[in-house]
Amino acid sequence: MSLRFESLPLTPEMLKVIADIGYVQQTPIQAQAIPLLLEGKDVIAQSKTGSGKTAAFAIPLLQKIAVKDNFIQALVLSPTRELCTQVAREIRKIGRSEKNLKVVTLSGGHAAYFDVKSLEYGAHIAVGTPGRLLDLINRDKLNLTHVQMVVLDEADRMLDMGFRDKIEEILKKTPTNRQTVLFSATYPNTIETLSRQYQKSPKRITIDAAEDEIQAIEQIVINTHPATKTDALLRFLASRPLESVLIFCNQKLTVGELVTDLRKCGSSVDKLHGDLDQGERERVMAKFRNQTTRILVATDVAARGIDIAGLDAVINYDFPGDPAQYVHRIGRTGRAGKKGVAVSFLTSRESEKLVAVRDYITAEISVIEATEIKKVKQSEFKRVGTPTKMETISISAGRKDKIRAGDILGALTGDVGIAGTDVGKIEILDRVSFVAITQSSAKQAMTRLSGGKIKGRKFIVQMVR
Ligand code: ADP
Ligand code: MG
């Protein structure tokens, strides 16, 4: 099977965009799913987070849309507002050669009135959470009569979150001749049931938990006592130069406690768990992506599906419950040819969990005792995360306010302003934007951005702390 995008029957415009974005070859899930989806087959596909599932359905989906027809032709269901935003962003990116293409996100976070308005203007693709979608359908604001394709992204997660009834109700409101596609990181029985009820002779695709990628990760298990776990973690963090670290806890409560402990030691750390509202999540993620925060502590639920590139380390503060979860968590490090490290703390009561992981993967795991990590001075803890290179600034305007990255860059660098090299990632969301800026230029950036230099308009500009 060729991995080249050119081997697919895609329009030249689509191929050009893909090349421009920098996707050189298909990921394994794309190579298997795209041809089947282009043929119109129902597909149930499973592969790990970060394996390119979004483009795997977005590319065929976009090829089916007729932009001249001003109605919803494809529906994507995704579990959270944040994931909906990510999916919509990827669809727009890949669909950008179609100037009039409209992708709406219907996922709450603001009054439904705004959603109704965007739908009234006309749209081709709707990406939404089951709750908000169903709400709009029941109020006759979302017409599904022309839907050809329904994608359930992160289907496992949506079922975990109790969306089953809502998903079924939505599916029942779509035309029966639709193409139904399920994408998932894991494959619980509940998905099988859903598939049997709503898909027609589905093709099943399973991409193995990428053995070779896991091979590239240095895996360490640290035997520890529950009472000394945090101490062992701090010593580990201080023992290596790590720039970006994701720490998993099994419970929300532990996330809060650990963040407090790490802060006490001067670490630059934030938490991510299910209770944060959308604005808080967006700020936390933006800071972490910009490396304004170096450590993110999260639960599985909160970190699910979130794509963060270039992690140096994933740490299982709590050992994951099952081997698939272990692979799923640690697979987030060591991406893009970088060698990552995965560290997992294990208490004596949990030893059978390690046995299960060793049965599940072939890669080497070294086991050490917490006492083997060298003792470090309190001052050395600070090394983790303190040298923040970039600050993150938020601007109260986004895509819906017709703000583009170029506008912000222009405001910062225009008329002999800040050097372009001091400006990092610019992220435009629906109603907010984030810009990374070197510490030395942060003050000047605040002044320029709040001084009405963005398209001559005034917005609320804040340093995200
Ligand atoms: P998943 O949904 O499987 O978790 P995503 O769709 O979020 O994964 O993709 C993960 C990352 O990989 C994204 O940053 C995306 O832009 C990138 N990506 C997707 N397809 C390719 C490709 N063919 N080549 C290079 N990068 C890709
Ligand atoms: Mg995804």
Side-chain angles (χ1 to χ4, degrees), residues 217-231:
I217 299 170
E218 177 188 2
Q219 297 179 60
I220 305 171
V221 165
I222 302 177
N223 280 324
T224 173
H225 190 273
T228 50
K229 220 195 242 189
T230 305
D231 178 62

Side-chain angles (χ1 to χ4, degrees), residues 8-282:
L8 293 167
L10 302 175
T11 58
E13 293 79 17
M14 172 73 76
L15 287 171
K16 178 164 186 316
V17 171
I18 291 171
D20 288 348
I21 295 173
Y23 293 176
V24 178
Q25 58 172 27
Q26 301 176 73
T27 66
I29 187 76
Q30 290 163 359
Q32 296 210 26
I34 296 174
L36 291 171
L37 292 177
L38 287 170
E39 282 173 32
K41 297 273 193 307
D42 279 5
V43 165
I44 173 160
Q46 181 210 343
S47 75
K48 66 173 203 125
T49 297
S51 55
K53 293 193 286 294
T54 321
F57 63 76
I59 291 170
L61 181 150
L62 282 161
Q63 294 283 273
K64 284 168 204 277
I65 302 292
V67 174
K68 64 172 178 27
D69 297 334
N70 206 11
F71 39 66
I72 299 286
Q73 297 158 54
L75 194 60
V76 181
L77 277 67
S78 190
T80 64
R81 286 178 292 217
E82 184 159 15
L83 288 169
C84 287
T85 308
Q86 274 187 24
V87 167
R89 193 193 298 156
E90 179 91 359
I91 296 178
R92 285 189 195 104
K93 191 165 84 177
I94 298 172
R96 69 189 181 201
S97 67
E98 284 288 0
K99 289 288 169 278
N100 296 320
L101 178 77
K102 289 230 177 58
V103 184
V104 284
T105 16
L106 306 171
S107 54
H110 52 78
Y113 163 84
F114 290 109
D115 292 344
V116 173
K117 277 284 164 234
S118 356
L119 287 168
E120 279 170 4
Y121 287 127
H124 306 101
I125 302 167
V127 182
T129 52
R132 181 54 74 98
L133 286 173
L134 192 59
D135 176 47
L136 291 162
I137 294 168
N138 286 338
R139 292 166 51 198
D140 280 332
K141 299 298 181 193
L142 179 59
N143 182 345
L144 300 178
T145 41
H146 300 288
V147 166
Q148 302 169 37
M149 187 176 189
V150 179
V151 180
L152 307 190
D153 187 29
E154 308 258 356
D156 51 348
R157 179 83 202 93
M158 289 198 287
L159 293 176
D160 282 355
M161 287 170 73
F163 283 141
R164 182 181 195 100
D165 293 349
K166 291 198 162 117
I167 292 170
E168 293 197 25
E169 267 192 77
I170 295 169
L171 286 171
K172 283 177 188 150
K173 298 262 161 73
T174 58
T176 47
N177 64 354
R178 63 167 193 265
Q179 184 178 11
T180 316
V181 186
L182 269 77
F183 274 83
S184 176
T186 61
Y187 196 88
N189 286 335
T190 44
I191 293 215
E192 184 76 51
T193 328
L194 194 69
S195 162
R196 239 180 285 130
Q197 276 176 288
Y198 294 95
Q199 291 190 299
K200 289 189 262 327
S201 349
K203 301 279 177 210
R204 162 109 55 108
I205 302 170
T206 309
I207 305 295
D208 212 322
E211 263 297 299
D212 45 307
E213 279 183 47
I214 300 288
Q215 296 283 3
I217 299 170
E218 177 188 2
Q219 297 179 60
I220 305 171
V221 165
I222 302 177
N223 280 324
T224 173
H225 190 273
T228 50
K229 220 195 242 189
T230 305
D231 178 62
L233 169 67
L234 286 167
R235 281 188 285 134
F236 176 80
L237 289 175
S239 71
R240 291 181 182 223
L242 300 169
E243 304 230 305
S244 244
V245 180
L246 179 60
I247 303 182
F248 282 103
C249 297
N250 291 350
Q251 285 173 356
K252 197 170 68 188
L253 191 68
T254 326
V255 169
E257 290 169 356
L258 185 57
V259 165
T260 309
D261 287 343
L262 289 170
R263 284 222 176 102
K264 271 189 210 142
C265 296
S267 296
S268 141
V269 57
D270 258 332
K271 66 178 167 207
L272 195 67
H273 61 66
D275 289 350
L276 299 185
D277 70 31
Q278 184 189 14
E280 287 168 325
R281 284 178 66 87
E282 284 172 354

